Amino acid sequence: MYKYEIVMYWSGEDQCYVTEVPELPGCMSDGETPVEAIQNTQEIIKVWIETAIADGDPIPEPKKRKEISLEPNKETIAAMLEAE
């Protein structure tokens, strides 16, 4: 699994979850569920990196961010399940 930051949002226009990888210009994906969107994004990151290598372009290192851990509460879990 790649460790790049992934931004996800719902696209009402496309009726799917859209993801972007800010550190990899143009690297985007989507999915019908949040889980599918992340899985598709991991595949697209792989393709992005393979293309960069083939073209001789630099591959940015994933940004190191301070990690935090949040305990999900019932409302958060319910919202995530509803979204799927």
Side-chain angles (χ1 to χ4, degrees), residues 59-71:
I59 301 167
E61 289 291 321
K63 292 181 184 175
K64 295 186 188 233
R65 299 187 184 271
K66 183 175 181 179
E67 294 183 25
I68 60 171
S69 178
L70 300 175
E71 283 291 318

Side-chain angles (χ1 to χ4, degrees), residues 72-84:
N73 58 36
K74 290 179 185 177
E75 291 80 18
T76 303
I77 294 169
M80 290 171 62
L81 293 174
E82 274 184 25
E84 290 189 16

Side-chain angles (χ1 to χ4, degrees), residues 19-33:
T19 60
E20 298 177 12
V21 184
E23 296 157 275
L24 306 176
C27 189
M28 300 176 68
S29 190
D30 61 36
E32 291 183 15
T33 67

